[in-house]
């Protein structure tokens, strides 16, 4: 459920008509609904209420906008960060350092040092080598870093290959059969407080079974580690729950997910940690775009919009689907290809899709663009960096400026020897 609905024939974000935002900010522009964000955050948190001891660290990479993080901080969310930049954002949003988990497959020494300094709650270690380096840095600072070991459970998440992370051939975590030995080695290293295991098998998962299989497998590993005399107090189950991008698709509900987790982990006796991203932010945003023109095509007309793969990369990266609807639908449809202006054939949002009839100057939106949308934007083809707006009831504000090509050009230097 979201708060992007037609009101008197015009698509609104909560109480604000999208044409108003488009007129004042220009297009393309991401528009987030605060009510939708809060609702999703609460539904997920309340669903996990059936678990005795659950902590949620929002996966910042899905939507790192500072205002989005502020809303989630106010809902009691911590953060799962994968870079020093994301850590600084989470801290800037007022998230408690203790509630921040530092994931990521290539943490640098500088990032680890800064994380220890800031007092972040847990480092999710991707390898023995990383654990030993973290231990050394912590010890040299006279500190002890809390950490969990990321295990690669070798389970097929059944999602797109580029967002699958839990198969043996993926770069993430340590091999399942070596994990107990690595845990033992790290647990005995000064500077480290090894407190648990973590896993994350992929994103946009449409079924609970792969998650259940992975949790069960890692639960067995936890028992093995305990039997060897080591302590496990925290188990971080990652994120990955998918959301429907096409009208009519059915995905696991947070209550079903929580019931499955309760069934599998009932006797673990640990603090459970979760790292949801997309399921919290996916539906909270749309990308508003204007039709530049409709161009005749060999089989279908080309709807050329002013948003492109640099603003919303998912279709180009993952062949992803985003529903495309007119802001002021005329009640007619046609079959068309939707493309952006970038000089590359991958700049295609949809082929031969039946959509609202649109023409030059019409506004439309790509739905479910709140996760992995603006955060992946870039300036390819020397296009501006897309701005972001948040709506709250009747209120709205620009929460990230459009950064125009002139600003980017101004950061470039021509060396004297070229001048
Ligand atoms: C990307 C990521 C997540 C969030 O994934 P979603 O599919 O958005 O829920 C959680 N944990 C880690 C380690 C990640 O890399």
């Amino acid at each position: 459920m979201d708060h992007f609905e037609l009101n008197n024939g015009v698509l609104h974000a909560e109480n604000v008509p999208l044409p108003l935002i488009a007129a004042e900010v220009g297009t393309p522009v991401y528009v987030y609904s605060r009510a939708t964000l809060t609702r999703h955050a609460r539904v997920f948190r309340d669903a996990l209420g059936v678990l005795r001891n659950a902590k949620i660290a929002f996966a910042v990479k899905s939507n790192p906008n500072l205002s989005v993080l502020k809303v989630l901080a106010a809902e009691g969310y911590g953060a799962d960060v994968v870079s020093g930049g994301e850590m600084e954002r989470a801290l800037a949003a007022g998230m408690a350092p203790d509630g921040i988990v530092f994931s990521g497959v290539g943490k640098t020494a500088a990032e680890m040092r800064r994380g220890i300094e800031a007092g972040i709650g847990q480092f999710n270690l991707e390898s023995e080598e990383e654990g030993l380096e973290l231990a050394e840095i912590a010890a040299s600072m006279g500190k002890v870093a809390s950490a969990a070991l990321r295990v690669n459970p070798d389970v097929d998440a059944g999602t797109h290959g580029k967002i699958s992370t839990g198969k043996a051939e993926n770069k993430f975590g340590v091999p399942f059969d070596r994990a107990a030995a690595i845990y033992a080695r790290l647990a005995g290293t000064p500077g480290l407080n090894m407190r648990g295991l973590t896993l994350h098998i992929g994103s946009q998962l449409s079924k609970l079974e792969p998650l259940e299989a992975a949790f069960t497998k890692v639960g067995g590993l936890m028992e093995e580690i305990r039997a060897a005399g080591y302590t496990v107090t925290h188990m971080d189950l990652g994120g990955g729950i998918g959301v429907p991008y096409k009208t009519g698709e059915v995905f696991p509900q947070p209550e079903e997910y929580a019931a499955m987790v309760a069934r599998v982990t009932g006797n673990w006796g640990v603090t459970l940690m979760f790292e949801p991203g997309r399921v919290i932010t996916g539906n909270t945003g749309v990308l508003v775009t204007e039709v530049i023109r409709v161009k005749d095509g060999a089989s279908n007309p080309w709807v050329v919009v002013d948003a492109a793969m640099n603003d919303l990369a998912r279709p180009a990266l993952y062949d992803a689907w985003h529903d495309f609807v007119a802001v002021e639908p005329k009640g007619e449809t046609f079959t068309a290809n939707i493309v952006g202006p970038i000089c590359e054939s991958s700049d295609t949002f949809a082929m031969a899709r039946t959509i609202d009839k649109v023409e030059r100057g019409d506004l439309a939106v790509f739905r479910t663009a709140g996760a992995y949308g603006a955060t992946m934007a870039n300036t390819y083809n020397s296009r501006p960096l897309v701005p972001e707006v948040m709506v709250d009831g009747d209120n709205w504000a620009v929460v990230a400026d459009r950064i125009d090509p002139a600003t980017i050009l101004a950061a470039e230097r021509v060396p004297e020897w070229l001048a």
Side-chain angles (χ1 to χ4, degrees):
M1 206 212 99
D2 64 40
H3 294 76
F4 299 97
E5 285 173 348
L6 286 174
N7 184 344
N8 282 321
V10 180
L11 194 62
H12 282 56
E14 304 191 21
N15 302 331
V16 180
L18 291 177
L20 175 77
I21 294 172
E24 293 203 23
V25 184
T27 54
V29 56
Y30 279 92
V31 177
Y32 306 133
S33 153
R34 180 189 177 167
T36 308
L37 179 58
T38 306
R39 181 174 181 281
H40 282 263
R42 290 183 184 167
V43 165
F44 192 80
R45 190 188 60 204
D46 293 350
L48 294 186
V50 300
L51 306 167
R52 240 173 311 124
N53 209 350
K55 291 214 164 94
I56 312 177
F58 168 66
V60 171
K61 79 173 191 282
S62 76
N63 190 324
N65 182 277
L66 190 57
S67 298
V68 167
L69 298 183
K70 279 254 177 212
V71 170
L72 293 175
E75 294 299 322
Y77 275 58
D80 171 59
V81 302
V82 295
S83 72
E86 287 191 353
M87 174 173 57
E88 298 305 337
R89 279 175 175 274
L91 292 170
M95 280 166 168
D98 190 41
I100 298 177
V101 175
F102 203 139
S103 300
V105 83
K107 298 173 209 66
T108 65
E111 286 174 325
M112 293 194 266
R113 196 169 300 116
R114 171 70 184 124
I116 295 167
E117 231 168 55
I120 72 145
Q122 179 172 302
F123 288 86
N124 284 351
L125 302 175
E126 290 273 350
S127 64
E128 178 174 354
E129 297 85 345
E130 185 183 70
L132 294 174
E133 190 171 338
L134 177 67
E136 204 175 293
I137 294 170
S140 76
M141 296 167 71
K143 298 256 165 92
V144 175
S146 289
L149 182 63
R150 180 162 177 180
V151 179
N152 187 324
D154 195 20
V155 165
D156 187 350
T159 187
H160 191 281
K162 289 188 178 166
I163 47 177
S164 173
T165 55
K167 287 284 289 167
E169 67 261 29
N170 298 134
K171 68 179 175 180
F172 299 96
V174 301
F176 189 81
D177 54 5
R178 295 196 45 221
I182 294 174
Y183 194 95
R185 165 107 201 263
L186 294 176
T189 305
L192 271 192
N193 164 34
M194 285 308 291
R195 65 181 201 182
L197 298 171
T198 176
L199 74 161
H200 173 73
I201 63 169
S203 197
Q204 184 55 7
L205 272 60
S206 57
K207 301 230 154 43
L208 292 177
E209 286 76 13
L211 287 168
E212 179 160 4
F215 297 167
T216 305
K217 222 173 148 177
V218 174
L221 179 63
M222 175 194 75
E223 294 304 347
E224 188 186 332
I225 288 170
R226 281 180 171 163
Y230 300 98
T231 308
V232 177
T233 56
H234 290 71
M235 292 290 280
D236 180 343
L237 302 182
I241 307 175
V243 300
Y245 282 94
K246 267 185 213 178
T247 326
E249 280 179 338
V250 179
F251 274 75
Q253 294 301 300
E255 304 74 43
E256 300 169 287
Y257 173 75
M260 178 275 282
V261 172
R263 192 167 66 239
V264 176
T265 68
N267 58 359
W268 284 10
V270 294
T271 296
L272 290 173
M273 298 163 71
F274 299 89
E275 302 170 349
R278 189 189 313 266
V279 72
I280 307 296
T281 47
N283 271 318
T284 65
V286 297
L287 174 60
V288 184
T289 186
E290 185 177 312
V291 176
I292 297 176
R293 68 182 56 85
V294 179
K295 166 182 149 158
D296 223 4
S299 41
N300 294 306
W302 300 96
V303 173
V304 186
V305 297
D306 67 357
M309 64 186 282
N310 71 303
D311 305 304
L312 177 61
R314 298 188 64 259
L317 271 179
Y318 318 127
D319 301 313
W321 176 292
H322 285 270
D323 276 347
F324 177 87
V325 297
V327 167
E328 296 180 67
K330 306 173 182 61
E332 288 169 68
T333 59
F334 71 157
T335 300
N337 309 323
I338 310 163
V339 297
I342 281 183
C343 292
E344 178 82 65
S345 292
S346 53
D347 188 24
T348 298
F349 292 108
M351 291 298 284
R353 188 161 334 156
T354 301
I355 54 172
D356 290 330
K357 186 93 199 272
V358 287
E359 52 196 294
R360 179 190 151 82
D362 286 348
L363 293 173
V365 302
F366 291 101
R367 281 189 170 275
T368 320
Y372 306 103
T375 183
M376 283 196 187
N378 59 65
T379 61
Y380 185 38
N381 275 210
S382 290
R383 290 167 51 84
L385 198 59
V386 63
E388 297 162 86
V389 160
M390 185 178 283
V391 173
D392 181 12
D394 298 324
N395 277 331
W396 66 274
V398 174
V399 293
D401 289 346
R402 187 184 311 281
I403 298 180
D404 58 40
T407 305
I408 293 161
L409 186 60
E412 291 181 23
R413 307 277 169 260
V414 178
E416 236 165 65
W417 42 264
L418 264 189

